[in-house]
Amino acid sequence: MEIKELEEEIKRCKRCNLHKNRRNAVPGEGDISSGIMLIGEAPGYHEDVQGRPFVGAAGKFLNELLQLIGIKREDVYITNVVKCRPPNNREPNEDEIKACSKYLEKQISIIRPKIIITLGNVAKNYIFKKFKLRNEAISKIHGKVFKIQSIDSCIIIIPMYHPAAGLYDPRKKNEIIKDWLNIKGIVKNVLSKD
Ligand code: SF4
């Protein structure tokens, strides 16, 4: 299945109750050939309106972080664990994550990422479970680099704070900026091998 076909399927999906209040499902967007995937939690208000991931204030900060390490937003594929907005921006529940996981799984299998950057707890918990990594609090492992080695590939997983965490807390914002600057070399290295 191609990514566009999958994105169309997501837009029509009614597998969980989140479809009832959505304006738009938000499948994801970006370059699927760069080998870099960013995974957030779920769409918020602006994402639901526009049908695009990370377009609100947190998205603006994410764009700045990407710029800071010298890559363009279009160079990476950005998506969320859950593709429709939960009411009042609450965290998606287990049933919603389970219902929606088939899409993230397909995106990962189509893109075959070399780097997965998780943004926030929901994405970290999902990806750490999937790859059987020892999960710890984001406050302990943010910005750390984890490597999954299989016979034919190596995937780098980097859990980051959700950019929204830095919006109203200058100290956290600086911590987030530092984490992103630290991974500049790793990300550039993957991009240069394209
Ligand atoms: S959140 Fe996922 S599973 Fe639920 S309706 Fe939207 S696309 Fe379908």
Side-chain angles (χ1 to χ4, degrees), residues 134-171:
R134 187 165 161 256
N135 201 355
E136 288 187 79
I138 188 74
S139 56
K140 276 197 174 170
I141 58 171
H142 63 93
K144 289 196 177 159
V145 175
F146 296 80
K147 286 187 183 163
I148 307 290
Q149 189 70 54
S150 66
I151 297 166
D152 61 345
S153 67
C154 172
I155 304 178
I156 293 167
I157 293 167
I158 310 172
M160 291 291 194
Y161 280 117
H162 195 285
L167 291 181
Y168 306 105
D169 181 346
R171 238 183 27 203

Side-chain angles (χ1 to χ4, degrees), residues 10 13-19 22 25 82-84 96 99-101 103:
I10 293 169
C13 176
K14 295 181 178 174
R15 282 170 62 88
C16 81
N17 281 338
L18 293 181
H19 82 274
R22 75 177 173 216
V82 162
K83 316 300 190 195
C84 301
E96 291 154 358
C100 209
S101 64
Y103 299 123

Side-chain angles (χ1 to χ4, degrees), residues 1 15-16 22 29-30 34 57 63 68 85 91 101 120 124-127 153 166 173 182 185-186 191 194:
M1 180 185 265
R15 282 170 62 88
C16 81
R22 75 177 173 216
E29 66 181 25
S34 69
N63 294 347
L68 206 63
R85 183 190 180 209
E91 268 197 12
S101 64
K124 170 184 73 71
N125 293 344
Y126 185 92
I127 291 297
S153 67
K173 186 174 185 179
N182 282 340
I186 296 168
L191 276 177
D194 274 358

